[in-house]
Amino acid sequence: MAVKNQEIVGILKKLPASNKVCSFGSYVKQIAEDDPRKLVHSVKVGLAIAIVSLFYYFEPLFDYEGFGVSSMWAVLTVVVVFEFSVGATLGKGVNRGIATFLAGSLGVAAHKLATFSGSDKLQPIILGLSVFSVASIATFMRFMPKLKVRYDYGILIFILTFSMISVSGYRDHMVLDKAITRATTILIGGAAAILFNVVICPVWAGEDLHNLIATNIEDLGISLEGYGKYFKKLDVKSEEELERTSLEEYKCVINSKASEENLVNFAKWEPHHGKFRYRHPWGQYLKIGDLVRECAIYINALKSELTSCNMTPEGRKRIQEPCTKMSIECGSALKEIAMSMKTMTLYPTTDSHILKAKAAAEKLRSIIKSGGLIEEAELQKLLPSTKIASFMLDLVSNSVE
Amino acid sequence: MAVKNQEIVGILKKLPASNKVCSFGSYVKQIAEDDPRKLVHSVKVGLAIAIVSLFYYFEPLFDYEGFGVSSMWAVLTVVVVFEFSVGATLGKGVNRGIATFLAGSLGVAAHKLATFSGSDKLQPIILGLSVFSVASIATFMRFMPKLKVRYDYGILIFILTFSMISVSGYRDHMVLDKAITRATTILIGGAAAILFNVVICPVWAGEDLHNLIATNIEDLGISLEGYGKYFKKLDVKSEEELERTSLEEYKCVINSKASEENLVNFAKWEPHHGKFRYRHPWGQYLKIGDLVRECAIYINALKSELTSCNMTPEGRKRIQEPCTKMSIECGSALKEIAMSMKTMTLYPTTDSHILKAKAAAEKLRSIIKSGGLIEEAELQKLLPSTKIASFMLDLVSNSVE
């Protein structure tokens, strides 16, 4: 999809200005059609902000002493916390809530300590030093990988709230008031963001992750089946032709690590939803993802092999049958694994595909041993695929159970 | 380095609680030693926040009518905008500044329009609708890849400021005042963040990117030289031994795409610094990075080849000399390219290394044609490296010029 967008941008650049407006429209339409949830998300955000803003607008008209200016924190929280997936929103909301509470308490304490010192000259020094040390230490903590992954936003909000509360120019009792109003309004904003996000067409990061991995496995399967077809017709020679027949589905698999890691981090925040419970073994998906990537790298190597290898027609003919079989069986096995992931049911035929692929691999190995073929290389490329496919099956059946 | 940290975390988990405090200390020490700039950055952030906070603290004591509560926006801006590298800080600062200005103007306009309508009942409807539509459209724009990469933060701030300004419960003239104070305080905060970031030990994303790519190329070179040594001593057989001799330097190269893209985005914001001018061709680095990654994938395939191939000692002997030469010459060429990138001077010997590697490749090719060796595969793995190395040289000399 990212590739598609880049293409569109490329096309946009080449067009004259008069056509640009029209193409921009189709660009927007393209994004919306690729993933309609993006459109729904935009409307959700607009709705949530408008409703919370109007609450802020009406407040000064009420008679009771409301939150006043502080209620803009509710608007701010909604805007900042509202993310695409439920997991990301929950993660940011919880981070913000806990960080505000902790930093607020600590800030009030620091302020009390400074007031307790009595001296008007000492007070700013104590406050400045406390802000300096807390901000420095917290900033350094953001560099710790484990903390950064889950609590980066929380630490940022901690620094923010602490420095604001502790150094606010107000006197004693007002500081406590301020801290409480701020915490309350952020609670309101955070709750509104989470509510709107979960109630109206929620987007679950866990589900996205599950589907991403399944689609990656499916892409590999399609690529491998494409190679099977390539082995079948012996006359394909040029690289372009291979490109067209084998379908380069595996390419985007190689670069999906970052998005997988993000989704896992978000998914960890999500409660029970659909077929996934809270504390679903999300870490396993990373392992499967790594295996799939490894497999894609092998397919990449196989491709460069096929297009550059100087094979004799006879040699090609001898390995044709087992190679075709291995590719197609591996491909079907992978596609079935993907399907069984998507439907969350085990397909009984997958094992037999893998067994057939292994048998073909054995056959190919014996052919190579008997004759002096230079095709060892291709076998080496396909063998790990079989190995990985069967290993992956174990993992997947584990995670399905 | 990330791997190192994970190792330490792993060690931490295994230790009893009594040792944890001590190990945590060494963990912190390890991070600081790995990159002392992180420590300096933390102190910089602490200093900037403390100074801006104290400004906020003292303000109510002044006689003139200052920014009041609004000046906390300055503190907020410093905390949020202050990033590790100059490029990231500038990018966020500029985004925040421009977005606040635009959203402020538009917000005041929306507010004027609503007041102009006269009716007290119509006003909240107009405001609510305008906030809803602006927030929805802007949120949708955040999904456009081109905008997301550079202006994501700006769009977020735009939504935030617009909804706050337009819906603030104040009457006419106060809205304009509010918009102006907000813009001014954010300007102060942003300027403070950028100033502290640039003046005290600045960290340039462009320089980091340059060094990252150079280090990646160097790692490849070290790996290839390791393979050369492996070819030299014929008796290395097991995978573990290969692991030890060949140095798996190339592994982290494969997964560095995300950090390269981030650094490029930051570097684009940076003005002239050191040996890099503004609008340095940063995009070229991405291309070099992709080539290096491709090369690393080939080396990965070569490794699995070497450990699983059933080579006869005679066959091994015949290809030994050209393979050793190719690996070592390619490795030296890559290491020299890395050095010439780091020092920004061209090494005159690099070309000769590549020529020697190419000659060795030709020799290997002729050996294969004459005898029925099954080593085609390894040649295929090394040939692209030569090709890529020479292509990379062109690119590098271009970017150096």
Side-chain angles (χ1 to χ4, degrees):
Chain A
M1 199 189 58
V3 178
K4 254 189 204 165
N5 289 338
Q6 274 175 10
E7 272 171 24
I8 296 167
V9 171
I11 293 166
L12 271 182
K13 274 186 183 161
K14 283 172 202 149
L15 288 171
S18 59
N19 286 354
K20 272 196 179 169
V21 176
C22 161
S23 328
F24 184 75
S26 65
Y27 176 48
V28 168
K29 211 179 141 199
Q30 178 74 48
I31 294 176
E33 273 172 5
D34 268 352
D35 194 350
R37 299 178 305 173
K38 288 180 179 170
L39 207 63
V40 176
H41 172 74
S42 307
V43 175
K44 269 158 74 178
V45 173
L47 213 62
I49 295 174
I51 288 175
V52 175
S53 297
L54 283 182
F55 174 73
Y56 174 33
Y57 173 79
F58 279 118
E59 227 214 356
L61 306 180
F62 298 152
D63 268 351
Y64 82 101
E65 206 189 303
F67 299 129
V69 178
S70 282
S71 68
M72 75 180 165
W73 286 109
V75 182
L76 192 144
T77 305
V78 173
V79 175
V80 177
V81 163
F82 211 119
E83 292 276 333
F84 187 56
S85 66
V86 176
T89 309
L90 273 174
K92 271 197 156 178
V94 170
N95 259 311
R96 194 175 181 111
I98 294 177
T100 305
F101 177 75
L102 285 180
S105 323
L106 208 64
V108 171
H111 200 271
K112 280 235 153 93
L113 188 80
T115 327
F116 201 67
S117 76
S119 156
D120 259 7
K121 277 177 190 160
L122 214 60
Q123 203 169 322
I125 296 173
I126 294 176
L127 286 174
L129 275 179
S130 69
V131 168
F132 169 75
S133 48
V134 166
S136 297
I137 293 169
T139 304
F140 189 76
M141 278 166 73
R142 290 178 74 192
F143 287 116
M144 295 179 188
K146 281 256 162 168
L147 287 177
K148 186 168 184 66
V149 166
R150 295 203 78 182
Y151 306 108
D152 191 54
Y153 184 67
I155 300 176
L156 186 76
I157 295 298
F158 182 86
I159 302 174
L160 190 64
T161 309
F162 179 79
S163 43
M164 276 188 181
I165 294 283
S166 65
V167 189
S168 60
Y170 299 98
R171 295 301 136 220
D172 219 20
H173 68 284
M174 278 185 77
V175 170
L176 196 62
D177 270 7
K178 210 172 146 66
I180 290 170
T181 358
R182 196 166 133 70
T184 320
T185 45
I186 283 177
L187 213 68
I188 294 172
I194 292 170
L195 201 76
F196 272 89
N197 200 325
V198 175
V199 171
I200 312 172
C201 314
V203 175
W204 300 99
E207 219 173 284
D208 274 11
L209 174 67
H210 190 86
N211 289 335
L212 176 68
I213 300 277
T215 311
N216 280 353
I217 294 176
E218 198 180 1
D219 285 350
L220 275 196
I222 293 172
S223 277
L224 269 177
E225 278 197 347
Y227 280 100
K229 282 173 201 147
Y230 165 77
F231 280 120
K232 234 179 196 165
K233 30 180 208 164
L234 287 168
D235 47 345
V236 188
K237 261 266 132 181
S238 70
E239 185 153 354
E240 290 120 83
E241 224 168 322
L242 178 60
E243 211 111 323
R244 256 181 289 128
T245 38
S246 73
L247 302 160
E248 309 254 311
E249 305 287 353
Y250 68 88
K251 279 255 166 112
C252 57
V253 177
I254 294 180
N255 288 325
S256 70
K257 192 178 177 69
S259 48
E260 279 168 25
E261 279 176 352
N262 271 336
L263 285 175
V264 166
N265 286 330
F266 296 154
K268 280 182 182 165
W269 290 104
E270 289 177 355
H272 180 100
H273 64 280
K275 293 156 287 185
F276 310 99
R277 62 180 197 282
Y278 179 64
R279 292 190 179 282
H280 191 75
W282 299 115
Q284 296 289 324
Y285 284 88
L286 281 185
K287 283 185 199 155
I288 302 176
D290 282 342
L291 284 176
V292 173
R293 229 179 328 285
E294 213 170 293
C295 208
I297 289 175
Y298 278 118
I299 293 182
N300 188 54
L302 176 64
K303 194 199 115 195
S304 70
E305 207 71 16
L306 286 173
T307 49
S308 59
C309 222
N310 304 316
M311 262 190 266
T312 54
E314 298 81 50
R316 205 182 252 273
K317 220 167 226 163
R318 286 185 67 185
I319 59 151
Q320 185 191 0
E321 193 246 316
C323 277
T324 310
K325 195 146 199 181
M326 269 171 74
S327 306
I328 289 189
E329 294 293 342
C330 267
S332 321
L334 285 171
K335 274 167 81 178
E336 270 187 15
I337 291 172
M339 276 307 295
S340 70
M341 266 189 85
K342 278 186 181 165
T343 56
M344 289 270 213
T345 47
L346 279 176
Y347 278 58
T349 51
T350 317
D351 278 316
S352 79
H353 281 302
I354 290 175
L355 285 178
K356 276 182 204 160
K358 276 184 179 163
E362 275 312 306
K363 199 172 167 191
L364 186 56
R365 203 191 279 279
S366 71
I367 290 176
I368 288 164
K369 273 198 180 145
S370 65
L373 278 173
I374 57 160
E375 303 308 325
E376 177 83 347
E378 290 181 25
L379 174 63
Q380 296 301 339
K381 291 291 129 21
L382 279 174
L383 270 187
S385 311
T386 358
K387 218 165 63 189
I388 287 170
S390 63
F391 182 40
M392 224 141 60
L393 184 70
D394 294 345
L395 265 177
V396 171
S397 53
N398 273 349
S399 69
V400 168
E401 273 159 20
Chain B
M1 199 187 60
V3 178
K4 256 188 202 166
N5 289 337
Q6 274 175 11
E7 271 171 25
I8 296 164
V9 171
I11 294 167
L12 270 182
K13 273 186 184 162
K14 283 173 204 149
L15 289 172
S18 59
N19 285 354
K20 271 195 180 171
V21 176
C22 161
S23 326
F24 183 76
S26 67
Y27 177 46
V28 168
K29 210 178 144 201
Q30 177 73 47
I31 295 177
E33 273 173 5
D34 269 350
D35 193 351
R37 298 178 306 171
K38 288 180 180 170
L39 207 63
V40 176
H41 172 75
S42 306
V43 174
K44 269 158 74 177
V45 173
L47 213 62
I49 295 173
I51 287 175
V52 175
S53 298
L54 283 182
F55 174 73
Y56 173 35
Y57 172 81
F58 279 118
E59 227 214 356
L61 307 181
F62 296 152
D63 268 349
Y64 81 101
E65 205 189 304
F67 298 129
V69 178
S70 282
S71 66
M72 74 180 164
W73 286 109
V75 181
L76 192 144
T77 305
V78 173
V79 175
V80 177
V81 162
F82 211 119
E83 292 276 333
F84 187 55
S85 67
V86 176
T89 308
L90 272 174
K92 271 198 157 178
V94 171
N95 259 311
R96 193 173 184 114
I98 293 177
T100 305
F101 178 73
L102 285 180
S105 324
L106 209 63
V108 171
H111 198 272
K112 280 234 153 92
L113 190 80
T115 326
F116 202 66
S117 75
S119 156
D120 259 9
K121 277 176 189 160
L122 213 62
Q123 203 169 323
I125 297 173
I126 294 175
L127 286 174
L129 275 179
S130 70
V131 168
F132 169 74
S133 49
V134 166
S136 297
I137 293 169
T139 304
F140 189 75
M141 280 165 72
R142 290 178 73 191
F143 287 117
M144 294 179 189
K146 280 258 161 167
L147 287 176
K148 187 169 184 65
V149 165
R150 294 203 79 184
Y151 305 110
D152 191 56
Y153 185 67
I155 301 176
L156 186 77
I157 295 298
F158 181 86
I159 302 172
L160 189 64
T161 310
F162 178 79
S163 43
M164 276 188 181
I165 294 281
S166 65
V167 190
S168 61
Y170 299 99
R171 295 302 135 219
D172 220 21
H173 68 283
M174 278 186 76
V175 170
L176 195 64
D177 269 9
K178 210 173 147 64
I180 291 170
T181 351
R182 196 165 133 70
T184 321
T185 45
I186 283 177
L187 213 71
I188 294 172
I194 292 170
L195 201 77
F196 273 90
N197 200 328
V198 176
V199 170
I200 312 171
C201 313
V203 175
W204 300 99
E207 218 173 282
D208 274 11
L209 174 67
H210 189 88
N211 290 335
L212 176 68
I213 300 276
T215 310
N216 279 353
I217 295 176
E218 197 181 0
D219 284 351
L220 276 196
I222 293 172
S223 277
L224 269 176
E225 278 196 347
Y227 280 101
K229 280 173 203 148
Y230 165 76
F231 281 120
K232 231 177 198 166
K233 29 180 210 162
L234 288 168
D235 48 344
V236 187
K237 261 264 133 181
S238 69
E239 186 152 353
E240 290 120 83
E241 224 166 323
L242 179 61
E243 212 111 322
R244 254 180 290 127
T245 37
S246 74
L247 302 160
E248 310 254 311
E249 304 286 352
Y250 66 88
K251 278 257 167 108
C252 57
V253 177
I254 294 181
N255 288 324
S256 69
K257 192 178 177 67
S259 49
E260 279 169 24
E261 280 175 352
N262 270 338
L263 285 175
V264 166
N265 285 329
F266 297 154
K268 279 182 181 164
W269 290 105
E270 289 176 354
H272 180 100
H273 62 279
K275 293 156 286 184
F276 311 99
R277 62 179 195 284
Y278 179 64
R279 292 191 179 282
H280 190 76
W282 299 115
Q284 297 288 325
Y285 285 88
L286 280 185
K287 284 184 199 157
I288 302 175
D290 282 342
L291 285 175
V292 173
R293 228 176 331 282
E294 214 170 294
C295 208
I297 289 175
Y298 278 117
I299 292 181
N300 188 52
L302 176 64
K303 193 199 117 199
S304 69
E305 207 72 18
L306 286 173
T307 48
S308 59
C309 221
N310 305 314
M311 262 191 266
T312 53
E314 298 82 49
R316 207 180 250 272
K317 221 165 226 167
R318 287 187 64 184
I319 58 153
Q320 185 192 1
E321 193 246 317
C323 277
T324 310
K325 196 148 199 182
M326 270 171 74
S327 305
I328 289 188
E329 293 293 341
C330 266
S332 324
L334 285 171
K335 274 167 83 177
E336 270 189 15
I337 291 172
M339 275 308 293
S340 71
M341 265 189 86
K342 279 186 181 165
T343 56
M344 289 270 213
T345 47
L346 279 175
Y347 278 57
T349 51
T350 317
D351 277 315
S352 78
H353 281 303
I354 289 176
L355 286 178
K356 274 182 206 160
K358 276 183 179 165
E362 276 311 308
K363 198 172 168 192
L364 186 56
R365 202 191 281 278
S366 71
I367 291 176
I368 287 164
K369 271 195 182 151
S370 65
L373 275 174
I374 56 158
E375 303 307 327
E376 177 83 346
E378 289 179 27
L379 174 63
Q380 296 301 339
K381 291 291 129 22
L382 279 174
L383 270 187
S385 311
T386 358
K387 219 166 63 189
I388 288 170
S390 63
F391 183 39
M392 224 143 56
L393 184 70
D394 295 346
L395 265 176
V396 171
S397 53
N398 273 348
S399 68
V400 168
E401 272 160 19

